[in-house]
Amino acid sequence: MPAKPEIWRVLLTIFVTLGWLLFLALWLFFYATNFNLTQNIGVFIASIVVFVAIIVLLWVPWSMKHAR
């Protein structure tokens, strides 16, 4: 039987994802016009790096604990 993750990890993943999407929407509607294309791409890539780092820090301890 596979191990089930704690519910708080799942909920936090959902909230982080929704927060990232909200950040992107707010950035595009209110701040993106003040920057050129290269800077907007940089902000997008930086936001992806932060998003992935949070998700990795959230799930790697659980996966290491339940590794076979």
Side-chain angles (χ1 to χ4, degrees):
M1 176 184 291
K4 292 184 180 179
E6 296 91 3
I7 191 70
W8 68 269
R9 289 185 197 269
V10 175
L11 291 176
L12 193 56
T13 301
I14 292 169
F15 289 135
V16 168
T17 303
L18 291 176
W20 178 65
L21 291 173
L22 180 64
F23 166 77
L24 285 180
L26 291 174
W27 178 263
L28 289 173
F29 286 118
F30 296 112
Y31 300 108
T33 57
N34 298 332
F35 297 94
N36 63 29
L37 180 64
T38 308
Q39 291 171 327
N40 284 323
I41 292 171
V43 168
F44 178 71
I45 291 172
S47 71
I48 289 175
V49 168
V50 170
F51 172 74
V52 169
I54 292 170
I55 298 300
V56 164
L57 289 173
L58 183 64
W59 284 101
V60 165
W62 180 84
S63 62
M64 295 295 284
K65 185 173 141 183
H66 293 90
R68 293 185 187 223

